[in-house]
């Protein structure tokens, strides 16, 4: 029976801890003079991105390369999809070519899980619509455990997730994982950018960023997806920014230990100012850096390689 | 003198057998825990695709990688061709960079052969216009020999090639190779989708799929190129499908041992229904799988590597 | 303190000689049966091209591969830039992922230097607007030293740089480097395609190609950027070609030892005829070939690898 990582709910608490522990192993590997291990030599990892992305695809491809896997890159632009091939045939073709694992991104919520039900190889969800982005949540948790030295938990950490929660798969995965790990989460944004029914979400809600500043250990900002504004959800970008953009003035009202996170890509001047993005309290670059280690952990875990193949490579 | 593979007619019968035998060797390699050999280490293989494709390019690139070659990927979108560079200069540049072999696809019949006449390195035709696609024919023959256990021949196998033969390079390469190997071929389609003069083709012709079902061992379906319908060659897709689509009802009229093949990408609901594509009689995924072994054989054969470099890799 | 190569002026005379000597070392490596060395094993080299290119990107990527580095390819089309991410965040993300060196091309003069000021890793300018393209100048100098056997200098070599100098980064880098190495340079073109103020350039100027033919050892042709003609800088392509295209008739008026160079992509029939491009006096293919060795030298030099890792690879 093969495993996949489509949703945070696919993971038991023990498996989360196992992945965090593996991430530490691979962070050590990444600090070596030659940051590679032969763990997945001979394995073929395919990226299947139906939605454009740089950071996520390159992060996964670098993770695969550092595990000595071979990488097949499928990009939408150059594909048979334009000739009318079905999603199922595309995925099955990649599997038949010999891929041992597929990393997939798609604009439709649920598309990755559907493909997973068709294939006999592990699948990693690299973001599907407004549904989930589980490796982002894992790398964020890993980054926070490191920052606050809370061990394998996030007990007592107050996290404000700010902005366009409604359309955010990052928010959905992070709310699940962080709350399971003991963090207290507040969603912050104008009502039109929050999900209508939050009764089952383990969160508090605020419509004022200013009110949550002093009580938050983490200010987690989401990208404002400007394409949504054409749908008239919010009056204007500048009005949104006036109330919900994190600038230095607002950051000064938070504790000195409070950190700022963002899954990227940031739109400076909208949800975050350049000064905040580059401030010492920003963990944005640390998130990107940890992402490679966490994705190495996920690939290694899913392909079940033996621990003995983590020796240094020459 | 370097060899190339532009057309099936480039190969003697002995060479076809040699390539089929090599394909078996590489299928065994592909079944290993680490499916790689050092055969082409240090060689650089370039893919030069002037027409979009996923399965073919990835199949070749994976084949090259499993032979330990390095891969250069040239894609049209990001190229100097848009600045007015000639086909000749593009190909010569790739050669001068240090490529040891070029795999090329182009929308014009004959373009690959023309480029081959300019270069001093081997060239593999990955499809040129409506001319040829020789590795597809080799992988199809390999798949059928395996299926029907006919040894290195296809004697006595009845193959119906169905659909848009007129525009199909797959049909042209397959008719040549399969007939040389002893198969009996019937082209099936409406007159407007068959070549006008078939007097020199070693085939029978039928305009009714229903009539050939019972007598065929292989139903080889071609992709209907919907862009052709704008040229009013056929009244409509649905009318074509009514007469020439392979559905379960039609498949039931064939023998139980009859197999279904398709070079991909399939357009489910047009030339083939989803049920047929996914049925146990479909060899579609086996074709994709065998494609990697056959392309490893072709690359290995053209670059003349010594047999001694097929040991397992670590 | 890390080094970068943004401009020819970043290099001392000693460093130029060091890079030329290293290029010879890597040309020998490239002539081996297995043209690879383990010099940069474990290093990650990223290409970050905001402007389309084939030859330059592939040349750098092949150079990195032959040094055993891993390559991350960032292409504009599939990037977060379309979501509004800043140039700075894109570059910093690539650095945070773990890239050890970035090779960057951008349409804006100065963009590469600006990015270099933000990063803590070496940067190579692969062309920025009309500013510089230093590795092109290095490979051109290397090619000429070889051709004229002038040792590590170009003393006494007369070079005519012909065509659209105004918009050419290749011209700017070559004028600097060739003049420092002792060559005498004449810029040749219609006044509208030459920079307005050349008082500080170490060059002579001519508005007639015919007049410089007999006295030149090198006729260095630049691509005519046809997009400039919409700006009405020159009346028409055919009028330009009448006066400044290098055809066989003109080439016959030069010395037999005179060589023709072009940075590519060539537009045959505009700045150069096909016959000249393919003539024995053309060094165009030699330039492409040497480009890989020179870029290996630059990557090796910037990443400070120890000489001991140039042994043959198996």
């Amino acid at each position: 029976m093969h495993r996949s990582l489509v949703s945070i709910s696919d993971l038991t608490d023990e498996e989360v801890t196992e992945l965090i522990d593996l991430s530490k192993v691979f962070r050590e590997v990444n600090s070596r003079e030659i940051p590679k291990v032969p763990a997945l030599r001979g394995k073929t990892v395919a990226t299947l991105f139906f939605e454009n992305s740089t950071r996520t695809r390159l992060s996964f491809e670098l993770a695969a390369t550092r595990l000595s896997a071979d990488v097949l890159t499928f990009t939408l632009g150059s594909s048979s999809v334009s000739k009318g091939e079905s999603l199922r045939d595309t995925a099955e073709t990649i599997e038949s070519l010999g891929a041992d694992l597929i990393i997939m991104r798609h604009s439709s919520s649920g598309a990755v899980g559907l493909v997973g039900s068709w294939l006999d190889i592990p699948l990693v969800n690299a973001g599907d619509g407004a549904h989930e982005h589980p490796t982002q949540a894992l790398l964020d948790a890993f980054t926070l455990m490191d920052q606050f030295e809370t061990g394998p938990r996030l007990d007592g950490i107050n996290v404000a997730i700010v902005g366009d929660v409604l359309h955010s798969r990052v928010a959905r995965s992070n709310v699940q994982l962080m709350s399971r790990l003991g963090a207290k989460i507040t969603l912050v944004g104008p009502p039109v950018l929050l999900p209508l029914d939050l009764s089952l979400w383990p969160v508090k809600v605020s419509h004022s960023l200013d009110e949550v500043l002093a009580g938050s250990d983490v200010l987690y900002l989401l990208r404002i997806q400007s394409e949504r504004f054409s749908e008239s959800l919010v009056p204007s970008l500048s009005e949104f920014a006036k109330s919900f953009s994190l600038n230095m003035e607002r950051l000064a009202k938070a504790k000195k230990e409070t950190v700022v996170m963002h899954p990227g890509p940031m739109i400076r001047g909208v949800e975050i100012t350049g000064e905040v993005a580059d401030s010492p309290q920003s963990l944005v670059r640390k998130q990107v850096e940890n992402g490679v280690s966490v994705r190495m952990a996920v690939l290694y875990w899913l392909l079940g390689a033996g621990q003995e193949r983590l020796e240094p490579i020459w």
Side-chain angles (χ1 to χ4, degrees), chain A residues 137-184:
Chain A
L138 286 166
L139 77 89
D140 289 333
F142 183 56
T143 303
L144 285 176
M145 288 170 187
D146 209 48
Q147 179 69 19
F148 292 108
E149 300 178 355
T150 49
R153 299 277 302 167
L154 293 174
D155 292 311
I157 305 293
N158 291 296
V159 181
I161 299 181
V162 184
D164 182 3
V165 176
L166 180 61
H167 302 100
S168 174
R169 52 198 174 209
V170 171
R172 277 167 187 74
S173 288
N174 260 324
V175 164
Q176 279 187 70
L177 183 60
M178 288 179 175
S179 63
R180 276 172 58 181
L181 292 169
K184 285 174 190 157

Side-chain angles (χ1 to χ4, degrees), chain A residues 4-7 48 50 87 102-119 123-129 131-132 134:
Chain A
S4 280
L5 180 56
V6 175
S7 163
L48 191 52
F50 293 95
L87 179 59
I102 290 178
I103 298 154
M104 180 173 160
R105 171 168 286 199
H106 199 283
S107 58
S108 296
S109 303
V112 179
L114 194 61
V115 168
S117 71
W118 295 326
L119 302 186
L123 201 72
V124 178
N125 183 358
D128 61 330
H131 178 226
E132 287 229 28

